Amino acid sequence: MSKDNQLLEEFTSKEYEHGWNVNLEADEAPKGLSEDTVRFISAKKKEPTWLLEWRLKAYRQWEKMPEPKWSNVHYPKINYQDIIYYSAPKQKKSLSGLDEVDPELIKTFEKLGISITEQKRLTGVAVDAVIDSVSVATTFKSTLGELGIIFCSFSEAVKEHPDLIKKYLGSVVPMGDNYFAALNSAVFSDGSFCYIPKGVRCPMELSTYFRINAANTGQFERTLIIADEGSFVSYLEGCTAPMRDENQLHAAVVELYAMKDAEIKYSTVQNWYPGDKNGKGGIYNFVTKRGLCFGDHSKISWTQVETGSAITWKYPSCVLKGDYSMGEFYSVAVTNNYQQADTGTKMIHIGKNTKSRIVSKGISAGKSQNSYRGQVHIMKRASNARNFSQCDSLLMGDLCGAHTFPYIDVENQTARIEHEATTSKIGEDQIFYCLQRGIDEEAAVALIVNGYAKEVLNQLPMEFAVEAQKLLALTLEGSVG
Amino acid sequence: MLSIKNLQAKIGEKQILNGIDLQVNAGEVHAIMGPNGSGKSTLASILAGREDYEVTTGDVQFNGKDLLELEPSDRAAEGIFLAFQYPVEIPGVSTINFMKTAVNKIRHYRGQGPLDAVAFLQLMKEKMKLVEIDQSLLSRSLNEGFSGGEKKRNEIFQMAMLEPKLAILDETDSGLDIDALKIVAHGVNSLRSKNNATIVVTHYQRLLDYIVPDFVHVLYKGKIVKSGTKELAKELEAKGYDWIKNEAALV
Ligand SMILES: Nc1ncnc2c1ncn2[C@@H]1O[C@H](COP(=O)(O)OP(=O)(O)OP(=O)(O)O)[C@@H](O)[C@H]1O
Ligand SMILES: [Mg+2]
């Protein structure tokens, strides 16, 4: 250890000693965010010094950053000192049965076909240990192990595979990338780590359920997926959140790293609590997702179905560095009632002959606002780059809004870019046509909306697609007529 | 089967139907003709349950039920089918998928379980043959990019699939070439039975050579001003509507 580092460590541990009264036995960090919070989290997780330092550096950057302001998203100011940044997994004070749970929520679960056991888990009825921000469901571990695939929680990876983490953490989303990424880098609780070795095709969909369970716990997940040369992985992320009164902040970071000839397919169905009909409650979802196509002929594909959250701010992006690399973004974002979604993608073309494809389908109902924000950047070196973008908006009713903001930056004249955009309304004619064939209004809306979103839903793995279809219908229930 | 008494309806402040009386019995085919804007499509829409129109007076009984009280989707399930003059497009939804949903919804209404995939496919194959429609068309998004004739033929295919008690064909013949016209007519005729009835709205006597009506009615200014047999259609073809308009003006 260098002298400087030694000094630093001494100093920091001193400060710790004299700092605020940290009770390491505590299951939760006290409310609020300071360097001490960061130290507390790192200490709790028994992290190596380099990681603590990494976090602190991120924290110091965050402190200096202004919170972003967007024209199309409105929410009350978040008090970052009123959030608990760490809570250990624990048996929560549990309800004794499902009859204590809000019946509206149970109805929703039933319509989604969620099993009773799962319902209990989601609503905090005691069944087994409730998963909170620390853990990851790691299934099929042995099968994966035989292939040399690593799939584990982030904390575990820090302990077991420190070299990989050290090398790739922040390599795609730098700690200071944006306000929420910096916040995440400072206080991330846990998440998933996945490494696919050279030439291995991961034989199953890797999936993780992220859940928010403890009230007032900001969620700061961190996911890192590395696909080594010639490998392939399909990863699923899905979420459901129990009903909550207070807004919950969620600021995740997902980093994907694809080497030469590797392919990563990342699918999300996001169904967090959007708030009630009047817009009260609901999750604030500020996520940074980015994939780096590092090697030649690599490919990263994002597919997302966003139905939940009070506010969604999310731009899964691809940095196409390798020659002939390819990025895809398929998105359906539904907003209803008072939901706000500002989502889209960035495709940064750096390598030669890189290709990207964007298909975005926005659906707005109620008094919601739905924005697509997309950037296609063709850098100087990226000769023969190609992009195709299709951004469609579907409006239901007269009180909602759809907005499209495409930004195109071309520094190389050999680029070929196509952009198509449409806005349509679910027509009364369409609904009546369905009604006349015996299809009731709810089913008619579901049919029309799923048809509209089909190109994106087709990208999802089968079971997920079915779940997503139900979700779309459910989100829009009662929004016509 | 269908009994319409003094049906009057308006849209906004515009009065469109001015007292329609019509009795359709099982096994019959009725043709409704009349100049543009006389209210033919309006009548069809009201029977199907379109909400834009306000029924101001009148009574419609369908197989012993007060039709005007039924939800549009329930009317369909009760056996009313409307082949639209202008079929709408539903992107991303294939005719097959659309029909699967419709067939099963209607079966559900009637207390039957959903058709399994094999049975549905079989039904579809049979009806496809009847109206000589290609499966590739049925796999495409409903009506999207269909030619005028393809849309009309698709309507008849749907009718065949749903086997309605009362089918209302709103200008299904317009836009059809002569071969397609024969096919459509053949479809309609093979579905004819003593248990169901058909109302064909048309401008052309030609169709009535193939689908031979028991009665022909002339709608003018929202009223049935003349009824007769298929000979009436021939007379209209020869003489136009002026003499009817004059007659109506005298009354
Ligand atoms: N939504 C509406 N708003 C205003 N007027 C309407 C509306 N729908 C129908 N009408 C009017 O009602 C009258 C009857 O229309 P309808 O479509 O029933 O005529 P039609 O007999 O079917 O004519 P065509 O032979 O041209 O199909 C027309 O004058 C039409 O302009
Ligand atoms: Mg008409």
Side-chain angles (χ1 to χ4, degrees):
Chain A
M1 194 181 285
S2 76
K3 238 188 174 156
D4 278 1
N5 277 353
Q6 222 168 348
L7 244 169
L8 184 72
E9 182 162 82
E10 211 171 292
F11 178 72
T12 49
S13 56
K14 266 237 177 65
E15 190 177 78
Y16 187 52
E17 203 177 302
H18 301 291
W20 88 175
N21 199 0
V22 183
N23 177 6
L24 269 182
E25 301 304 308
D27 285 334
E28 277 186 351
K31 266 186 190 174
L33 183 53
S34 65
E35 285 205 8
D36 287 328
T37 319
V38 176
R39 280 174 217 286
F40 175 89
I41 294 169
S42 190
K44 262 306 220 190
K45 299 171 78 65
K46 303 196 176 68
E47 284 175 355
T49 319
W50 65 264
L51 190 49
L52 171 63
E53 275 163 19
W54 195 84
R55 285 176 180 274
L56 286 171
K57 206 168 145 197
Y59 172 74
R60 286 171 199 137
Q61 292 195 21
W62 176 77
E63 254 191 329
K64 294 195 200 90
M65 295 166 97
E67 193 175 343
K69 296 214 186 321
W70 306 286
S71 48
N72 276 289
V73 181
H74 307 275
Y75 56 94
K77 210 169 159 41
I78 297 169
N79 181 354
Y80 291 91
Q81 298 308 331
D82 198 35
I83 291 171
I84 297 166
Y85 287 88
Y86 178 83
S87 89
K90 63 192 163 187
Q91 197 74 45
K92 277 204 317 173
K93 200 186 87 195
S94 58
L95 308 171
S96 57
L98 277 178
D99 45 2
E100 289 179 35
V101 178
D102 185 332
E104 276 301 310
L105 193 62
I106 299 291
K107 249 198 269 170
T108 308
F109 285 145
E110 276 164 5
K111 285 184 184 160
L112 281 172
I114 293 172
S115 74
I116 297 284
T117 326
E118 187 71 356
Q119 285 184 27
K120 286 182 176 171
R121 259 158 66 108
L122 291 171
T123 50
V125 173
V127 266
D128 46 44
V130 172
I131 296 166
D132 203 6
S133 35
V134 172
S135 189
V136 167
T138 52
T139 31
F140 316 117
K141 223 171 171 171
S142 61
T143 325
L144 297 177
E146 278 164 28
L147 292 165
I149 295 172
I150 304 167
F151 180 41
C152 62
S153 76
F154 206 91
S155 324
E156 209 180 320
V158 169
K159 289 193 185 77
E160 306 291 328
H161 311 282
D163 294 347
L164 286 172
I165 299 285
K166 217 170 172 167
K167 182 164 176 198
Y168 292 104
L169 176 68
S171 64
V172 183
V173 179
M175 60 168 71
D177 188 78
N178 67 68
Y179 188 80
F180 295 106
L183 179 63
N184 176 289
S185 300
V187 300
F188 69 87
S189 36
D190 209 331
S192 313
F193 175 76
C194 173
Y195 171 81
I196 315 291
K198 261 187 199 161
V200 171
R201 230 190 128 77
C202 184
M204 55 189 79
E205 318 273 355
L206 298 183
S207 75
T208 312
Y209 275 81
F210 294 107
R211 301 203 176 99
I212 302 178
N213 274 301
N216 260 330
T217 309
Q219 288 286 296
F220 304 95
E221 310 279 357
R222 187 107 201 166
T223 302
L224 174 59
I225 298 174
I226 303 161
D228 212 327
E229 290 181 14
S231 68
F232 169 81
V233 63
S234 169
Y235 188 93
L236 309 182
E237 175 205 310
C239 1
T240 331
M243 193 173 285
R244 290 289 174 202
D245 253 339
E246 275 159 80
N247 290 309
Q248 288 183 306
L249 173 65
H250 187 96
V253 170
V254 176
E255 298 180 275
L256 311 183
Y257 198 105
M259 299 189 206
K260 189 166 166 284
D261 297 320
E263 179 176 350
I264 302 174
K265 198 169 156 50
Y266 192 104
S267 314
T268 311
V269 170
Q270 189 266 112
N271 179 29
W272 283 332
Y273 183 54
D276 64 17
K277 286 206 164 52
N278 301 313
K280 191 170 153 39
I283 308 282
Y284 292 179
N285 190 22
F286 301 120
V287 186
T288 307
K289 287 183 166 175
R290 191 175 304 151
L292 174 61
C293 283
F294 183 80
D296 294 352
H297 296 279
S298 56
K299 179 175 173 185
I300 288 178
S301 176
W302 299 99
T303 304
Q304 58 174 30
V305 175
E306 303 279 324
T307 61
S309 298
I311 297 175
T312 302
W313 177 89
K314 180 175 175 184
Y315 313 91
S317 307
C318 295
V319 179
L320 305 172
K321 187 163 177 297
D323 293 345
Y324 295 95
S325 63
M326 181 165 178
E328 291 178 334
F329 173 74
Y330 294 95
S331 168
V332 177
V334 188
T335 51
N336 199 353
N337 298 319
Y338 285 89
Q339 278 178 284
Q340 304 172 57
D342 196 307
T343 171
T345 186
K346 280 185 208 160
M347 294 289 172
I348 314 291
H349 293 250
I350 301 172
K352 296 186 174 66
N353 299 297
T354 45
K355 269 199 231 175
S356 61
R357 180 178 175 85
I358 298 170
V359 178
S360 161
K361 304 267 179 179
I363 302 168
S364 355
K367 296 184 175 151
S368 65
Q369 295 296 325
N370 205 328
S371 304
Y372 167 82
R373 206 178 287 280
Q375 190 191 3
V376 175
H377 191 158
I378 313 284
M379 309 267 258
K380 219 175 182 118
R381 207 178 76 73
S383 42
N384 300 314
R386 286 172 63 177
N387 162 266
F388 172 78
S389 305
Q390 168 91 44
C391 305
D392 297 329
S393 313
L394 186 69
L395 299 172
M396 300 175 72
D398 299 322
L399 301 172
C400 53
H403 317 273
T404 304
F405 308 98
Y407 303 97
I408 297 170
D409 257 318
V410 178
E411 295 173 37
N412 183 310
Q413 292 314 313
T414 59
R416 283 224 315 257
I417 293 189
E418 283 175 76
H419 181 91
E420 290 173 12
T422 65
T423 300
S424 50
K425 268 193 166 187
I426 284 203
E428 281 185 27
D429 286 351
Q430 286 175 319
I431 301 260
F432 184 68
Y433 192 80
C434 295
L435 292 176
Q436 210 303 303
R437 299 301 186 247
I439 301 167
D440 59 81
E441 185 158 312
E442 227 162 69
V445 170
L447 199 70
I448 294 166
V449 165
N450 280 313
Y452 165 78
K454 190 168 154 203
E455 199 181 342
V456 174
L457 297 177
N458 277 349
Q459 295 294 324
L460 291 171
M462 193 60 183
E463 335 77 77
F464 235 36
V466 173
E467 203 175 300
Q469 283 188 6
K470 286 194 216 160
L471 207 56
L472 286 186
L474 198 61
T475 311
L476 293 168
E477 208 166 76
S479 51
V480 165
Chain B
M1 173 174 286
L2 179 75
S3 165
I4 304 175
K5 294 217 171 80
N6 190 27
L7 183 64
Q8 301 189 16
K10 61 179 187 179
I11 187 157
E13 287 309 302
K14 188 176 157 81
Q15 190 73 28
I16 301 176
L17 299 186
N18 293 304
I20 302 240
D21 292 287
L22 184 66
Q23 176 75 32
V24 178
N25 299 311
E28 294 174 351
V29 173
H30 289 243
I32 296 181
M33 306 183 80
N36 293 136
S38 56
K40 303 180 297 295
S41 294
T42 302
L43 174 62
S45 298
I46 288 173
L47 294 177
R50 182 121 210 179
E51 273 161 10
D52 307 353
Y53 304 95
E54 189 194 336
V55 174
T56 47
T57 18
D59 177 58
V60 182
Q61 294 289 319
F62 179 66
N63 286 330
K65 291 202 166 122
D66 183 349
L67 190 71
L68 301 179
E69 285 301 307
L70 290 177
E71 290 294 320
S73 56
D74 291 348
R75 297 183 195 194
E78 287 287 343
I80 287 190
F81 180 91
L82 172 60
F84 286 82
Q85 184 174 3
Y86 306 108
V88 304
E89 301 178 356
I90 306 186
V93 179
S94 67
T95 304
I96 299 179
N97 190 9
F98 183 64
M99 274 296 104
K100 205 161 85 195
T101 311
V103 165
N104 287 331
K105 282 282 176 188
I106 289 177
R107 287 178 65 88
H108 179 76
Y109 181 89
R110 296 174 183 166
Q112 300 165 317
L115 273 191
D116 63 53
V118 178
F120 178 79
L121 219 68
Q122 207 166 359
L123 178 70
M124 219 180 71
K125 286 257 149 73
E126 179 195 320
K127 305 302 185 186
M128 272 164 52
K129 224 164 117 189
L130 185 69
V131 295
E132 296 180 33
I133 200 165
D134 205 61
Q135 181 157 355
S136 63
L137 196 70
L138 302 181
S139 309
R140 277 167 51 184
S141 288
L142 186 60
N143 291 324
E144 201 179 36
F146 284 24
S147 75
E150 286 169 339
K151 285 184 186 174
K152 295 301 173 78
R153 202 184 293 202
N154 187 274
E155 292 291 289
I156 299 305
F157 167 73
Q158 293 182 37
M159 178 182 100
M161 288 292 289
L162 301 178
E163 297 181 346
K165 295 203 181 83
L166 174 67
I168 305 163
L169 314 183
D170 192 357
E171 295 196 26
T172 302
D173 55 333
S174 40
L176 291 184
D177 64 45
I178 188 71
D179 291 341
L181 185 75
K182 283 182 190 164
I183 292 164
V184 162
H186 172 69
V188 173
N189 288 331
S190 9
L191 294 166
R192 257 172 105 161
S193 82
K194 60 181 190 323
N195 299 317
N196 59 32
T198 311
I199 296 175
V200 288
V201 174
T202 183
H203 284 295
Y204 306 107
Q205 126 75 22
R206 190 183 62 170
L207 175 72
L208 304 180
D209 285 341
Y210 299 102
I211 303 175
V212 182
D214 300 295
F215 301 97
V216 174
H217 310 279
V218 178
L219 197 63
Y220 177 58
K221 288 193 175 166
K223 255 177 115 73
I224 290 179
V225 291
K226 200 163 185 73
S227 294
T229 61
K230 60 179 198 269
E231 301 310 318
L232 176 57
K234 294 212 170 101
E235 210 176 337
L236 290 171
E237 179 93 345
K239 299 204 274 184
Y241 286 112
D242 279 352
W243 62 283
I244 298 236
K245 289 181 186 169
N246 291 337
E247 254 179 40
L250 290 176
V251 179

